[in-house]
Amino acid sequence: AVSSTYETEPVGEILDQPDFLNAAARVRTGLEPLELLDACKAVEVEGGRIFGGPRHGPRSLDVDVLLLGGIELESERLTLPHPQVTARRFVLVPLLELDPELALPDGTGLAGALERLEGERVERVGRL
């Protein structure tokens, strides 16, 4: 399943850049977490992403693994759930469109996290 597309303002270390387009996808996979991350990075390369720019800087494509069922993981390359999943409206809005009851592995509901966030503009602009 794929969410609608949302236009959002830049968040993070570099705010002086064009708006971003964000969406969420729910997939089924037999891949292990780091294998899934590698597949996401390959999609980014195929989409023209050039690595090595500044953190939170402009990029053609950014594919993140946010949640993977009930898996909790912390490694040098990947943390699950994603550490910012409850702190970013541009993440929560499309995720909750796909599943309004979505929760973290510890049972924390993501809808409640979204209700506590303010300020970040997230505007629906269409379907993928």
Side-chain angles (χ1 to χ4, degrees):
V2 178
S3 74
S4 299
T5 305
Y6 294 86
E7 185 176 271
T8 63
E9 58 196 348
V11 174
E13 298 171 17
I14 300 176
L15 301 178
D16 186 20
Q17 60 179 312
D19 287 347
F20 286 85
L21 294 176
N22 288 281
R26 180 177 53 227
V27 300
R28 246 172 246 212
T29 182
L31 297 174
E32 293 296 321
L34 293 175
E35 293 173 324
L36 180 58
L37 179 64
D38 290 340
C40 291
K41 295 303 164 193
V43 167
E44 290 177 343
V45 169
E46 289 175 21
R49 178 154 184 192
I50 299 170
F51 292 92
R55 180 173 168 80
H56 299 147
R59 51 209 178 267
S60 59
L61 186 60
D62 185 19
V63 180
D64 291 319
V65 179
L66 302 170
L67 299 163
L68 192 54
I71 294 175
E72 295 182 88
L73 172 76
E74 192 165 333
S75 76
E76 288 183 21
R77 295 184 55 219
L78 180 63
T79 299
L80 290 172
H82 189 287
Q84 295 295 311
V85 74
T86 60
R88 302 288 196 219
R89 286 179 48 90
F90 69 84
V91 170
L92 290 170
V93 170
L95 277 178
L96 290 166
E97 178 184 326
L98 294 176
D99 182 354
E101 304 300 318
L102 193 60
L104 298 177
D106 68 6
T108 302
L110 295 184
L114 179 59
E115 289 174 7
R116 291 186 290 277
L117 294 177
E118 297 179 5
E120 206 178 297
R121 181 180 55 80
V122 178
E123 180 181 341
R124 185 175 172 174
V125 294
R127 299 285 300 172
L128 277 178

Short mmCIF file of all heavy atoms in Angstrom, two decimals, residues 56-112:
data_model
loop_
_atom_site.label_atom_id
_atom_site.label_comp_id
_atom_site.label_asym_id
_atom_site.label_seq_id
_atom_site.Cartn_x
_atom_site.Cartn_y
_atom_site.Cartn_z
N HIS A 56 20.71 16.25 5.93
CA HIS A 56 19.44 16.96 5.76
C HIS A 56 19.44 17.92 4.58
O HIS A 56 18.57 18.77 4.47
CB HIS A 56 19.02 17.72 7.03
CG HIS A 56 18.81 16.83 8.22
ND1 HIS A 56 19.09 17.25 9.48
CD2 HIS A 56 18.37 15.56 8.33
CE1 HIS A 56 18.81 16.28 10.33
NE2 HIS A 56 18.38 15.23 9.65
N GLY A 57 20.43 17.79 3.70
CA GLY A 57 20.51 18.66 2.53
C GLY A 57 19.63 18.16 1.40
O GLY A 57 18.98 17.10 1.50
N PRO A 58 19.58 18.90 0.29
CA PRO A 58 18.77 18.50 -0.86
C PRO A 58 19.21 17.13 -1.38
O PRO A 58 20.39 16.80 -1.38
CB PRO A 58 19.06 19.58 -1.90
CG PRO A 58 19.59 20.74 -1.13
CD PRO A 58 20.28 20.16 0.07
N ARG A 59 18.24 16.33 -1.79
CA ARG A 59 18.52 15.01 -2.34
C ARG A 59 17.38 14.61 -3.25
O ARG A 59 16.25 15.01 -3.02
CB ARG A 59 18.75 13.98 -1.25
CG ARG A 59 17.65 13.94 -0.20
CD ARG A 59 18.23 13.49 1.13
NE ARG A 59 17.25 13.46 2.19
CZ ARG A 59 17.01 14.45 3.03
NH1 ARG A 59 17.65 15.59 2.91
NH2 ARG A 59 16.13 14.33 3.99
N SER A 60 17.70 13.83 -4.26
CA SER A 60 16.68 13.44 -5.24
C SER A 60 15.73 12.40 -4.67
O SER A 60 14.57 12.34 -5.08
CB SER A 60 17.35 12.90 -6.50
OG SER A 60 18.16 11.78 -6.18
N LEU A 61 16.20 11.57 -3.76
CA LEU A 61 15.39 10.49 -3.23
C LEU A 61 15.96 10.05 -1.89
O LEU A 61 17.18 9.94 -1.73
CB LEU A 61 15.40 9.31 -4.21
CG LEU A 61 14.52 8.12 -3.93
CD1 LEU A 61 13.04 8.52 -3.86
CD2 LEU A 61 14.72 7.05 -4.99
N ASP A 62 15.09 9.78 -0.93
CA ASP A 62 15.50 9.32 0.39
C ASP A 62 14.50 8.26 0.84
O ASP A 62 13.34 8.57 1.05
CB ASP A 62 15.53 10.50 1.37
CG ASP A 62 16.07 10.13 2.74
OD1 ASP A 62 16.75 9.09 2.86
OD2 ASP A 62 15.81 10.88 3.69
N VAL A 63 14.93 7.02 0.93
CA VAL A 63 14.06 5.91 1.32
C VAL A 63 14.53 5.42 2.68
O VAL A 63 15.66 4.95 2.82
CB VAL A 63 14.11 4.76 0.29
CG1 VAL A 63 13.19 3.63 0.71
CG2 VAL A 63 13.75 5.27 -1.10
N ASP A 64 13.67 5.52 3.68
CA ASP A 64 14.01 5.10 5.03
C ASP A 64 13.19 3.89 5.44
O ASP A 64 12.03 3.74 5.05
CB ASP A 64 13.71 6.22 6.04
CG ASP A 64 14.64 7.40 5.90
OD1 ASP A 64 15.85 7.19 5.70
OD2 ASP A 64 14.17 8.54 6.01
N VAL A 65 13.77 3.04 6.24
CA VAL A 65 13.06 1.95 6.90
C VAL A 65 12.64 2.52 8.26
O VAL A 65 13.49 2.84 9.08
CB VAL A 65 13.94 0.70 7.07
CG1 VAL A 65 13.16 -0.41 7.78
CG2 VAL A 65 14.48 0.23 5.73
N LEU A 66 11.34 2.66 8.46
CA LEU A 66 10.83 3.30 9.66
C LEU A 66 10.43 2.29 10.73
O LEU A 66 10.74 2.46 11.91
CB LEU A 66 9.63 4.18 9.32
CG LEU A 66 9.90 5.26 8.28
CD1 LEU A 66 8.60 5.90 7.84
CD2 LEU A 66 10.86 6.30 8.84
N LEU A 67 9.71 1.28 10.33
CA LEU A 67 9.22 0.22 11.21
C LEU A 67 9.33 -1.09 10.45
O LEU A 67 9.18 -1.09 9.22
CB LEU A 67 7.76 0.46 11.58
CG LEU A 67 7.43 1.74 12.33
CD1 LEU A 67 5.93 2.03 12.26
CD2 LEU A 67 7.86 1.61 13.79
N LEU A 68 9.53 -2.17 11.17
CA LEU A 68 9.57 -3.47 10.53
C LEU A 68 8.90 -4.46 11.47
O LEU A 68 9.54 -5.15 12.26
CB LEU A 68 11.01 -3.89 10.21
CG LEU A 68 11.21 -5.09 9.29
CD1 LEU A 68 10.47 -4.91 7.96
CD2 LEU A 68 12.68 -5.32 9.03
N GLY A 69 7.55 -4.44 11.41
CA GLY A 69 6.77 -5.27 12.32
C GLY A 69 7.11 -4.94 13.76
O GLY A 69 7.22 -3.79 14.14
N GLY A 70 7.33 -5.95 14.55
CA GLY A 70 7.66 -5.75 15.96
C GLY A 70 9.14 -5.75 16.24
O GLY A 70 9.56 -5.82 17.40
N ILE A 71 9.96 -5.64 15.19
CA ILE A 71 11.41 -5.72 15.37
C ILE A 71 11.95 -4.44 16.01
O ILE A 71 11.63 -3.32 15.58
CB ILE A 71 12.12 -5.97 14.03
CG1 ILE A 71 11.74 -7.35 13.50
CG2 ILE A 71 13.64 -5.83 14.17
CD1 ILE A 71 12.28 -7.66 12.12
N GLU A 72 12.78 -4.61 17.01
CA GLU A 72 13.55 -3.52 17.59
C GLU A 72 15.02 -3.85 17.36
O GLU A 72 15.45 -4.97 17.62
CB GLU A 72 13.26 -3.38 19.09
CG GLU A 72 11.81 -2.97 19.35
CD GLU A 72 11.52 -2.79 20.81
OE1 GLU A 72 11.73 -1.66 21.31
OE2 GLU A 72 11.09 -3.77 21.44
N LEU A 73 15.76 -2.88 16.84
CA LEU A 73 17.15 -3.12 16.44
C LEU A 73 17.94 -1.84 16.61
O LEU A 73 17.43 -0.74 16.32
CB LEU A 73 17.18 -3.56 14.96
CG LEU A 73 18.54 -3.67 14.30
CD1 LEU A 73 19.23 -4.95 14.76
CD2 LEU A 73 18.40 -3.67 12.79
N GLU A 74 19.17 -1.97 17.04
CA GLU A 74 20.08 -0.83 17.08
C GLU A 74 21.44 -1.30 16.62
O GLU A 74 22.08 -2.12 17.26
CB GLU A 74 20.16 -0.24 18.49
CG GLU A 74 20.86 1.10 18.50
CD GLU A 74 20.66 1.88 19.77
OE1 GLU A 74 19.63 1.68 20.44
OE2 GLU A 74 21.53 2.69 20.08
N SER A 75 21.85 -0.78 15.44
CA SER A 75 23.17 -1.09 14.90
C SER A 75 23.77 0.21 14.38
O SER A 75 23.12 1.25 14.39
CB SER A 75 23.07 -2.14 13.78
OG SER A 75 22.59 -1.56 12.59
N GLU A 76 24.99 0.13 13.90
CA GLU A 76 25.63 1.33 13.34
C GLU A 76 24.89 1.84 12.12
O GLU A 76 24.89 3.04 11.86
CB GLU A 76 27.09 1.02 12.96
CG GLU A 76 28.00 0.86 14.14
CD GLU A 76 29.44 0.62 13.71
OE1 GLU A 76 29.81 0.98 12.57
OE2 GLU A 76 30.21 0.09 14.53
N ARG A 77 24.25 0.97 11.38
CA ARG A 77 23.60 1.35 10.12
C ARG A 77 22.11 1.57 10.23
O ARG A 77 21.53 2.26 9.39
CB ARG A 77 23.87 0.28 9.07
CG ARG A 77 25.32 0.15 8.70
CD ARG A 77 25.55 -0.85 7.58
NE ARG A 77 24.75 -0.52 6.42
CZ ARG A 77 24.14 -1.43 5.66
NH1 ARG A 77 24.22 -2.71 5.92
NH2 ARG A 77 23.42 -1.04 4.62
N LEU A 78 21.47 0.97 11.21
CA LEU A 78 20.01 1.00 11.24
C LEU A 78 19.50 0.89 12.67
O LEU A 78 19.98 0.06 13.44
CB LEU A 78 19.46 -0.17 10.41
CG LEU A 78 17.95 -0.33 10.32
CD1 LEU A 78 17.32 0.88 9.63
CD2 LEU A 78 17.60 -1.62 9.59
N THR A 79 18.53 1.75 12.99
CA THR A 79 17.82 1.67 14.26
C THR A 79 16.35 1.52 13.95
O THR A 79 15.79 2.29 13.17
CB THR A 79 18.07 2.94 15.12
OG1 THR A 79 19.47 3.05 15.38
CG2 THR A 79 17.31 2.87 16.43
N LEU A 80 15.73 0.51 14.56
CA LEU A 80 14.30 0.28 14.39
C LEU A 80 13.63 0.20 15.75
O LEU A 80 14.16 -0.46 16.64
CB LEU A 80 14.05 -1.04 13.65
CG LEU A 80 14.44 -1.06 12.19
CD1 LEU A 80 14.33 -2.47 11.62
CD2 LEU A 80 13.59 -0.11 11.38
N PRO A 81 12.49 0.86 15.90
CA PRO A 81 11.91 1.80 14.96
C PRO A 81 12.86 2.99 14.72
O PRO A 81 13.73 3.28 15.53
CB PRO A 81 10.64 2.28 15.64
CG PRO A 81 10.40 1.35 16.78
CD PRO A 81 11.71 0.71 17.10
N HIS A 82 12.66 3.67 13.60
CA HIS A 82 13.47 4.85 13.27
C HIS A 82 13.39 5.82 14.45
O HIS A 82 12.30 6.08 14.97
CB HIS A 82 12.93 5.50 12.00
CG HIS A 82 13.81 6.57 11.46
ND1 HIS A 82 13.92 7.80 12.06
CD2 HIS A 82 14.62 6.59 10.37
CE1 HIS A 82 14.76 8.55 11.36
NE2 HIS A 82 15.20 7.83 10.33
N PRO A 83 14.53 6.37 14.89
CA PRO A 83 14.53 7.22 16.08
C PRO A 83 13.66 8.48 15.99
O PRO A 83 13.22 9.00 17.01
CB PRO A 83 15.99 7.62 16.27
CG PRO A 83 16.78 6.83 15.29
CD PRO A 83 15.85 6.16 14.34
N GLN A 84 13.38 8.96 14.79
CA GLN A 84 12.59 10.18 14.63
C GLN A 84 11.14 9.91 14.22
O GLN A 84 10.40 10.85 13.94
CB GLN A 84 13.25 11.08 13.58
CG GLN A 84 14.61 11.59 13.99
CD GLN A 84 14.52 12.51 15.19
OE1 GLN A 84 13.71 13.42 15.23
NE2 GLN A 84 15.35 12.26 16.19
N VAL A 85 10.71 8.65 14.20
CA VAL A 85 9.38 8.33 13.68
C VAL A 85 8.27 9.06 14.44
O VAL A 85 7.28 9.48 13.85
CB VAL A 85 9.14 6.80 13.63
CG1 VAL A 85 8.92 6.22 15.00
CG2 VAL A 85 8.00 6.46 12.70
N THR A 86 8.41 9.27 15.74
CA THR A 86 7.35 9.94 16.50
C THR A 86 7.53 11.45 16.58
O THR A 86 6.69 12.13 17.15
CB THR A 86 7.26 9.38 17.93
OG1 THR A 86 8.52 9.59 18.59
CG2 THR A 86 6.90 7.91 17.93
N ALA A 87 8.61 11.97 16.00
CA ALA A 87 8.92 13.39 16.14
C ALA A 87 8.72 14.19 14.85
O ALA A 87 8.97 15.39 14.84
CB ALA A 87 10.37 13.55 16.61
N ARG A 88 8.28 13.56 13.79
CA ARG A 88 8.18 14.22 12.50
C ARG A 88 6.78 14.06 11.91
O ARG A 88 6.35 12.96 11.59
CB ARG A 88 9.19 13.64 11.51
CG ARG A 88 10.63 13.72 11.96
CD ARG A 88 11.13 15.13 11.91
NE ARG A 88 12.58 15.16 11.97
CZ ARG A 88 13.24 16.07 12.66
NH1 ARG A 88 12.60 16.99 13.34
NH2 ARG A 88 14.56 16.07 12.66
N ARG A 89 6.09 15.17 11.74
CA ARG A 89 4.76 15.14 11.11
C ARG A 89 4.83 14.57 9.70
O ARG A 89 3.94 13.84 9.28
CB ARG A 89 4.15 16.55 11.08
CG ARG A 89 3.66 17.03 12.43
CD ARG A 89 3.08 18.45 12.33
NE ARG A 89 2.14 18.57 11.22
CZ ARG A 89 0.84 18.35 11.29
NH1 ARG A 89 0.30 18.01 12.43
NH2 ARG A 89 0.06 18.49 10.24
N PHE A 90 5.90 14.90 8.96
CA PHE A 90 6.00 14.44 7.57
C PHE A 90 6.15 12.92 7.48
O PHE A 90 5.94 12.34 6.42
CB PHE A 90 7.12 15.15 6.80
CG PHE A 90 8.52 14.80 7.22
CD1 PHE A 90 9.16 13.68 6.73
CD2 PHE A 90 9.22 15.63 8.09
CE1 PHE A 90 10.47 13.38 7.10
CE2 PHE A 90 10.52 15.34 8.47
CZ PHE A 90 11.14 14.21 7.97
N VAL A 91 6.49 12.27 8.58
CA VAL A 91 6.55 10.82 8.65
C VAL A 91 5.21 10.25 9.12
O VAL A 91 4.67 9.32 8.54
CB VAL A 91 7.69 10.37 9.60
CG1 VAL A 91 7.63 8.88 9.87
CG2 VAL A 91 9.05 10.77 9.04
N LEU A 92 4.68 10.83 10.19
CA LEU A 92 3.47 10.30 10.81
C LEU A 92 2.22 10.43 9.95
O LEU A 92 1.40 9.51 9.91
CB LEU A 92 3.25 10.97 12.16
CG LEU A 92 4.25 10.59 13.24
CD1 LEU A 92 4.09 11.48 14.46
CD2 LEU A 92 4.11 9.12 13.62
N VAL A 93 2.06 11.56 9.27
CA VAL A 93 0.84 11.76 8.49
C VAL A 93 0.68 10.68 7.42
O VAL A 93 -0.36 10.02 7.37
CB VAL A 93 0.77 13.20 7.91
CG1 VAL A 93 -0.36 13.33 6.91
CG2 VAL A 93 0.63 14.22 9.04
N PRO A 94 1.67 10.42 6.57
CA PRO A 94 1.48 9.35 5.58
C PRO A 94 1.40 7.95 6.21
O PRO A 94 0.65 7.10 5.74
CB PRO A 94 2.65 9.49 4.63
CG PRO A 94 3.60 10.44 5.24
CD PRO A 94 2.88 11.20 6.29
N LEU A 95 2.17 7.70 7.27
CA LEU A 95 2.08 6.39 7.93
C LEU A 95 0.68 6.12 8.46
O LEU A 95 0.13 5.04 8.28
CB LEU A 95 3.08 6.32 9.09
CG LEU A 95 4.51 5.96 8.79
CD1 LEU A 95 5.35 5.99 10.07
CD2 LEU A 95 4.62 4.60 8.12
N LEU A 96 0.11 7.12 9.12
CA LEU A 96 -1.21 6.94 9.71
C LEU A 96 -2.32 6.90 8.66
O LEU A 96 -3.38 6.35 8.91
CB LEU A 96 -1.47 8.01 10.76
CG LEU A 96 -0.63 7.83 12.03
CD1 LEU A 96 -0.65 9.08 12.89
CD2 LEU A 96 -1.08 6.61 12.80
N GLU A 97 -2.06 7.47 7.50
CA GLU A 97 -3.02 7.32 6.40
C GLU A 97 -3.13 5.84 6.03
O GLU A 97 -4.22 5.34 5.75
CB GLU A 97 -2.57 8.13 5.19
CG GLU A 97 -3.50 7.98 4.00
CD GLU A 97 -3.01 8.71 2.76
OE1 GLU A 97 -2.38 9.78 2.88
OE2 GLU A 97 -3.25 8.18 1.66
N LEU A 98 -2.01 5.13 6.05
CA LEU A 98 -2.00 3.71 5.71
C LEU A 98 -2.61 2.85 6.81
O LEU A 98 -3.24 1.84 6.54
CB LEU A 98 -0.57 3.23 5.44
CG LEU A 98 0.10 3.83 4.22
CD1 LEU A 98 1.54 3.33 4.12
CD2 LEU A 98 -0.66 3.49 2.95
N ASP A 99 -2.40 3.26 8.06
CA ASP A 99 -2.91 2.48 9.20
C ASP A 99 -3.11 3.40 10.40
O ASP A 99 -2.17 3.67 11.14
CB ASP A 99 -1.94 1.36 9.55
CG ASP A 99 -2.45 0.48 10.69
OD1 ASP A 99 -3.50 0.78 11.29
OD2 ASP A 99 -1.76 -0.52 10.98
N PRO A 100 -4.33 3.91 10.60
CA PRO A 100 -4.60 4.83 11.71
C PRO A 100 -4.34 4.24 13.09
O PRO A 100 -4.18 4.98 14.06
CB PRO A 100 -6.09 5.17 11.56
CG PRO A 100 -6.41 4.85 10.14
CD PRO A 100 -5.50 3.72 9.75
N GLU A 101 -4.27 2.93 13.20
CA GLU A 101 -4.03 2.27 14.49
C GLU A 101 -2.57 1.87 14.69
O GLU A 101 -2.23 1.20 15.67
CB GLU A 101 -4.91 1.02 14.61
CG GLU A 101 -6.39 1.28 14.44
CD GLU A 101 -6.94 2.25 15.47
OE1 GLU A 101 -6.57 2.13 16.65
OE2 GLU A 101 -7.74 3.12 15.09
N LEU A 102 -1.68 2.31 13.80
CA LEU A 102 -0.28 1.90 13.85
C LEU A 102 0.36 2.25 15.18
O LEU A 102 0.15 3.33 15.72
CB LEU A 102 0.48 2.56 12.70
CG LEU A 102 1.88 2.03 12.38
CD1 LEU A 102 1.83 0.56 11.99
CD2 LEU A 102 2.48 2.85 11.24
N ALA A 103 1.16 1.32 15.68
CA ALA A 103 1.84 1.51 16.96
C ALA A 103 3.29 1.03 16.87
O ALA A 103 3.63 0.21 16.01
CB ALA A 103 1.11 0.76 18.06
N LEU A 104 4.11 1.53 17.76
CA LEU A 104 5.49 1.06 17.89
C LEU A 104 5.47 -0.33 18.53
O LEU A 104 4.47 -0.73 19.14
CB LEU A 104 6.29 2.03 18.76
CG LEU A 104 6.43 3.45 18.24
CD1 LEU A 104 7.18 4.32 19.25
CD2 LEU A 104 7.13 3.47 16.89
N PRO A 105 6.58 -1.06 18.45
CA PRO A 105 6.62 -2.38 19.07
C PRO A 105 6.28 -2.38 20.57
O PRO A 105 5.76 -3.35 21.09
CB PRO A 105 8.06 -2.84 18.84
CG PRO A 105 8.48 -2.14 17.59
CD PRO A 105 7.79 -0.79 17.66
N ASP A 106 6.53 -1.26 21.25
CA ASP A 106 6.22 -1.19 22.69
C ASP A 106 4.76 -0.84 22.95
O ASP A 106 4.34 -0.70 24.10
CB ASP A 106 7.14 -0.20 23.41
CG ASP A 106 6.91 1.25 23.02
OD1 ASP A 106 5.96 1.57 22.26
OD2 ASP A 106 7.68 2.11 23.49
N GLY A 107 3.96 -0.68 21.88
CA GLY A 107 2.54 -0.39 22.02
C GLY A 107 2.18 1.09 21.94
O GLY A 107 1.00 1.44 21.93
N THR A 108 3.15 1.97 21.89
CA THR A 108 2.89 3.40 21.77
C THR A 108 2.18 3.70 20.46
O THR A 108 2.71 3.41 19.38
CB THR A 108 4.20 4.22 21.83
OG1 THR A 108 4.87 3.93 23.05
CG2 THR A 108 3.94 5.70 21.71
N GLY A 109 0.99 4.28 20.54
CA GLY A 109 0.22 4.61 19.35
C GLY A 109 0.80 5.82 18.64
O GLY A 109 1.12 6.84 19.26
N LEU A 110 0.93 5.72 17.32
CA LEU A 110 1.50 6.84 16.56
C LEU A 110 0.51 7.98 16.40
O LEU A 110 0.92 9.14 16.24
CB LEU A 110 2.01 6.35 15.21
CG LEU A 110 3.18 5.36 15.28
CD1 LEU A 110 3.67 5.02 13.88
CD2 LEU A 110 4.31 5.90 16.13
N ALA A 111 -0.79 7.72 16.46
CA ALA A 111 -1.78 8.80 16.36
C ALA A 111 -1.61 9.77 17.52
O ALA A 111 -1.71 10.98 17.34
CB ALA A 111 -3.19 8.22 16.32
N GLY A 112 -1.35 9.27 18.70
CA GLY A 112 -1.13 10.13 19.86
C GLY A 112 0.12 10.98 19.69
O GLY A 112 0.14 12.15 20.07
#
